Amino acid sequence: MHPDVITHLRCPVCHASLSSAERALRCARGHSFDIARQGYVDLTAGRPAHTGDTPEMVAAREALLAAGHFAPLSAAIAALPVAPGPVVEVGAGTAHYLSRLIEASGSFGIAVDTSKAALRRAARAHERIGAVRADIWQGLPVADGAAAAILDVFAPRAGAEFARVLRPDGVLIVATPAEGHLAELVDALGLIRVDPAKRERLRKSLDPWFARADERRVRSALTLSRADALALVGMGPSAWHTDRASIAARLDAMAEPIAATLDVDLTTWRLL
C-alpha cells in the first residue's frame, strides 16, 4: 500500500495513527489489520451494515465504464480543481472516477468501500490509490482534517463524517442522478426512478456542515448494445430489486442500438 495513504489512515478501534508492519497495518496500541493479498486492507470496526456490490454488479460496472459510456462524467470530475493531498472516495467501487481525478491532479487516493469484490479492483486501479474496506456509517478510518477532497459518486453521504475528515480548504465533490438519468431504460424496463426530491435530500444530508459552491449538469446521449443495457441495470440500485432474467428477456425484444441518457448533477461543496 502506498506510504502516503497509510500516513492519513487511523485505527478504527482506538483512532490512533497506523504504520506498516510486514503485510499489515498496526497502531501503537497493538491493533493489527492484515493487508489482503489482493492489495486492500480491512478497517471495518465490526460487521458492516451492508456488504456492498456483489461480484456480478462489480463486473457489470467495470464493463460499462471500460466501454466509455460514462466518459463525460469521468472527464467532468477529472477537470475539477483539487489541491494537493489525499482524495478520499466513498463508495469507490472499482475506483474508476478516483483514478482519473488523482491522475489529473497529481494527488493520491484512498478508495473506501464495503464490497470486497470492488476493492480487489480498486487496489489495482492506480499506483497512487490505497483500497480500504470500511463502512461510512461506522466512521471513516481517516485522520481528522486529512482529505484535500472527498469524492462521492452515486454513493451514500454522511455529512458529519465528511466534515470531520475534510481539510478546512478542502472540497466535497458529489455526483447524483438527475431526473432524466437513464429515463428511457427506466420506462422500458420498469426500473427504480430517481426520487424527485433528491436535490433537497442531498442538501439536507450535508446541512449544517457544507454550503454548495458550484453545480453543473453532465448530460450525454448513450448508444447501447443489449449487453451494455443489461450491465447498466446490473451496476445500479435496480440490480437489488429486479430479476436479471426478466430484464434480459425484455432487452432481447428491443432493437439495437438502445438509446439512453446520461443525466447527472455534479456539485461541489465547501465547509461552513
Side-chain angles (χ1 to χ4, degrees):
M1 183 168 289
H2 198 285
D4 286 342
V5 169
I6 298 172
T7 299
H8 294 87
L9 296 178
R10 73 178 194 178
C11 174
V13 179
C14 67
H15 298 169
S17 59
L18 294 169
S19 59
S20 180
E22 298 178 357
R23 287 201 57 81
L25 300 184
R26 187 169 297 143
C27 75
R29 297 186 181 182
H31 300 121
S32 184
F33 309 91
D34 292 339
I35 298 175
R37 60 183 177 82
Q38 295 91 349
Y40 68 89
V41 63
D42 192 332
L43 296 181
T44 52
R47 186 185 298 273
H50 194 284
T51 55
D53 289 353
T54 65
E56 293 77 17
M57 293 174 71
V58 173
R61 186 183 306 275
E62 191 168 53
L64 237 305
L65 294 174
H69 295 299
F70 280 41
L73 178 58
S74 300
I77 290 172
L80 293 173
V82 172
V87 178
V88 178
E89 183 176 12
V90 175
T94 63
H96 172 86
Y97 299 107
L98 178 61
S99 62
R100 274 123 185 102
L101 180 56
I102 67 168
E103 183 64 26
S105 64
S107 302
F108 59 94
I110 303 173
V112 178
D113 207 296
T114 58
S115 168
K116 294 181 180 181
L119 290 168
R120 293 184 189 109
R121 289 169 167 81
R124 304 192 304 266
H126 197 286
E127 63 182 4
R128 295 199 304 273
I129 286 178
V132 176
R133 187 168 190 248
D135 184 345
I136 187 173
W137 305 119
Q138 296 173 347
L140 292 169
V142 179
D144 294 356
I150 297 174
L151 179 60
D152 184 301
V153 181
F154 308 145
R157 295 164 299 277
E161 189 66 355
F162 287 174
R164 179 189 67 79
V165 168
L166 195 63
R167 287 186 342 207
D169 63 342
V171 61
L172 168 62
I173 302 165
V174 180
T176 52
E179 60 270 15
H181 188 56
L182 307 180
E184 300 87 348
L185 292 180
V186 169
D187 291 338
L189 302 176
L191 306 181
I192 295 174
R193 296 184 179 277
V194 176
D195 182 356
K198 195 169 189 68
R199 180 184 174 89
E200 181 63 15
R201 287 199 299 110
L202 171 62
R203 184 190 64 78
K204 287 182 177 179
S205 72
L206 298 177
D207 279 347
W209 306 279
F210 291 92
R212 193 189 313 261
D214 184 58
E215 178 177 4
R216 63 193 70 186
R217 178 68 63 87
V218 181
R219 188 177 174 90
S220 177
L222 303 178
T223 302
L224 307 169
S225 66
R226 293 188 190 95
D228 290 336
L230 186 60
L232 252 178
V233 176
M235 68 183 259
S238 291
W240 297 102
H241 305 282
T242 55
D243 177 68
R244 184 178 177 87
S246 174
I247 294 295
R250 294 190 196 182
L251 287 171
D252 283 342
M254 298 172 67
E256 291 183 308
I258 297 169
T261 303
L262 173 71
D263 192 15
V264 178
D265 285 326
L266 185 61
T267 56
T268 56
W269 304 76
R270 299 283 182 178
L271 284 166
L272 289 171

